[in-house]
Amino acid sequence: MKRLFVLLWTLVLAAGAAELTDAQIQSALNAAYAKYKDLNEGKNTDYIPALAKVDSKIYGIALVTSSGNVFTAGDVRSQVSIQSISKVFTMAKVMDEQGAEAIEKRIGVDPTGMRFNSIVAVEWAQKLMGGPEINPLMNPGAITATSMLAGDNRQEIWNGLLGCCSACAGRPLTVDKEVFDSESATNQRNQAIGYLMYAYEFIKKEPMWATDIYTEQCSVSVNAKDLAAMAGTLANGGKNPVTGKRVVKQENIPGILAVMAIAGLYDDSGKWLYHTGLPAKSGVGGGRIAVAPGKFGIAVVSPPLDAAGNSVRAQRAIADIANGLRASPYQVAPR
Ligand code: GLN
C-alpha cells in the first residue's frame, strides 16, 4: 500500500513538472479574459470600410494543446476576417510546394521593421541590399508569396489555399463576401504593391491575380477556436492536433515560426518577442495567434487595434497567458 502511494505520488510530481494541468490552463484563460474584458483601448480599423462595422465587443480566447485539448474563454463563436494571419498559411503552402528555399530566395526572411504595407521597405531592400531582403508576412512579400502558389487557374490556386487554411482550422472555412468586396474596392495601395513587385520581377506574372487572391485570403472568416487550431497545427509540427491530419510539412515548421518571430507583428515584433518569446501573427480584423512549440497554439479575437495595427486585448491577454504558463522556449531551468 505504502509503495503504491509512493509510486503514485512520484507520477503526480513528474507529470506536474513536465505538463501543464487542465485546471492551470483554464484558469490562466479565465483570468486574462476577466482582466481585459472591460478594457476600452484601441479602435476597429477603418481603412477597409467593412471592418469599421464589426462589433468591437467581440472578445474570445482559445488554446489548443499539442495533444488536441481545446480550452476557451469568452466569445469563441463570433467570426472576424483572418486578414494578415492568412499570410502564414500561404507561406507554409508555398514552402510545401516548392521547398523552403523558394521563399528565402524570392522574398527573403528578414525583418523590415516597417509597417505591414510599407513600399519604402521594398525600395530600401532593393536599393541598399540589392535583393529580396523582406519577408512573406508583410504585404509586398505576402502578395509575392500568393503569386507563387501552384495551380493552373485562379480557381485551382484558390481552392488549394482555402483547403490548406481549412485543414489547419479543422473545418471548412468560407469567405466573408462583404469584407472581400469592401477591401477589393479600396485596395489600390496593395495593387500598387503588386505592380511594384512585378516591376522588380519578384512576381513573375499576373500581379493583379496575386493581389486579388491575396485580398480574398484576407477575407476568410474565422473565430478564436479556428485560429487556435491553426496555431495548434504549427505548435504540433504541422499536424492538426484535433483532427490528426498532417497539413504542413514538419521540416518547414521551424522556418515558418522563425519568420513569425521576427516579422509577425511588423514594427512591434521585437517588443513582443522580448516579452513573450513566442512566434505570433496578427491581423487587422482583430485576430492574433501565438505558438508555443510542442506545447500549444493560442488565439484571441478582439477587433480594437493599436497604432501598429495589432489587437489591444489580444496582445495583452496572450502575453499574460503565455507568461503565466511559462511558455517561452527561451525560459529554461538550469541543470
Ligand atoms: N488585408 C489587409 C491589407 O492588406 C491585411 C493587413 C493586416 O492584417 N495587417 O491591408
Side-chain angles (χ1 to χ4, degrees):
M1 186 65 187
K2 195 172 159 206
R3 273 171 55 200
L4 183 67
F5 178 78
V6 171
L7 178 69
L8 282 175
W9 188 238
T10 311
L11 284 175
V12 166
L13 285 180
E19 296 262 346
L20 297 160
T21 66
D22 290 1
Q24 277 174 316
I25 298 175
Q26 190 60 54
S27 81
L29 261 63
N30 293 349
Y33 179 76
K35 187 166 164 194
Y36 300 114
K37 192 169 177 309
D38 299 318
L39 183 74
N40 214 0
E41 282 174 36
K43 71 182 213 12
N44 286 28
T45 196
D46 56 9
Y47 81 97
I48 300 169
L51 299 191
K53 296 193 293 182
V54 175
D55 181 1
S56 52
K57 293 209 173 54
I58 297 171
Y59 176 34
I61 308 177
L63 182 152
V64 173
T65 67
S66 294
S67 45
N69 293 329
V70 182
F71 299 84
T72 67
D75 177 359
V76 294
R77 300 182 77 125
S78 292
Q79 305 193 90
V80 295
S81 51
I82 188 168
Q83 296 298 334
S84 278
I85 302 170
S86 64
K87 293 167 178 168
V88 174
F89 301 90
T90 308
M91 172 190 183
K93 187 131 201 321
V94 171
M95 288 166 86
D96 272 16
E97 287 168 359
Q98 301 184 29
E101 269 187 9
I103 288 284
E104 188 180 358
K105 285 208 175 120
R106 179 92 69 91
I107 300 169
V109 290
D110 277 306
T112 67
M114 297 189 203
R115 280 189 64 77
F116 62 83
N117 56 5
S118 174
I119 288 173
V120 171
V122 177
E123 293 295 331
W124 189 271
Q126 197 63 15
K127 298 272 172 348
L128 268 81
M129 270 92 77
E133 297 210 15
I134 55 170
N135 65 74
L137 299 185
M138 43 95 72
N139 291 15
I143 296 170
T144 305
T146 305
S147 81
M148 295 165 73
L149 288 166
D152 287 338
N153 53 55
R154 193 195 182 290
Q155 196 59 40
E156 214 177 288
I157 298 168
W158 174 248
N159 290 347
L161 182 57
L162 188 64
C164 172
C165 292
S166 297
C168 289
R171 73 171 181 109
L173 299 175
T174 56
V175 170
D176 182 328
K177 186 83 173 53
E178 196 188 338
V179 172
F180 183 36
D181 290 346
S182 177
E183 186 165 349
S184 297
T186 52
N187 70 348
Q188 288 76 19
R189 187 180 175 93
N190 283 340
Q191 292 180 38
I193 288 172
Y195 269 114
L196 179 66
M197 299 311 276
Y198 183 51
Y200 281 139
E201 297 177 358
F202 294 105
I203 293 181
K204 304 291 180 201
K205 60 176 186 358
E206 306 288 358
M208 287 309 96
W209 261 26
T211 309
D212 186 46
I213 297 174
Y214 164 80
T215 308
E216 189 163 9
Q217 77 182 45
C218 289
S219 313
V220 168
S221 291
V222 283
N223 58 35
K225 241 163 110 175
D226 297 326
L227 288 176
M230 295 171 95
T233 301
L234 300 175
N236 189 40
K239 192 174 184 186
N240 183 319
V242 180
T243 64
K245 192 174 166 196
R246 162 149 307 281
V247 193
V248 179
K249 281 187 190 151
Q250 187 179 344
E251 71 214 47
N252 291 331
I253 295 290
I256 295 166
L257 295 182
V259 177
M260 287 171 72
I262 55 107
L265 304 160
Y266 318 112
D267 37 336
D268 272 351
S269 299
K271 215 187 293 169
W272 170 261
L273 197 62
Y274 188 81
H275 286 287
T276 65
L278 297 189
K281 185 75 204 81
S282 61
V284 290
R288 184 187 192 98
I289 60 171
V291 178
K295 293 181 178 161
F296 59 78
I298 182 168
V300 171
V301 165
S302 168
L305 310 179
D306 65 11
N310 294 317
S311 165
V312 178
R313 282 195 189 110
Q315 57 193 300
R316 303 223 183 138
I318 297 181
D320 277 18
I321 295 166
N323 291 328
L325 299 179
R326 302 176 66 78
S328 169
Y330 304 126
Q331 194 175 59
V332 291
R335 287 181 196 225

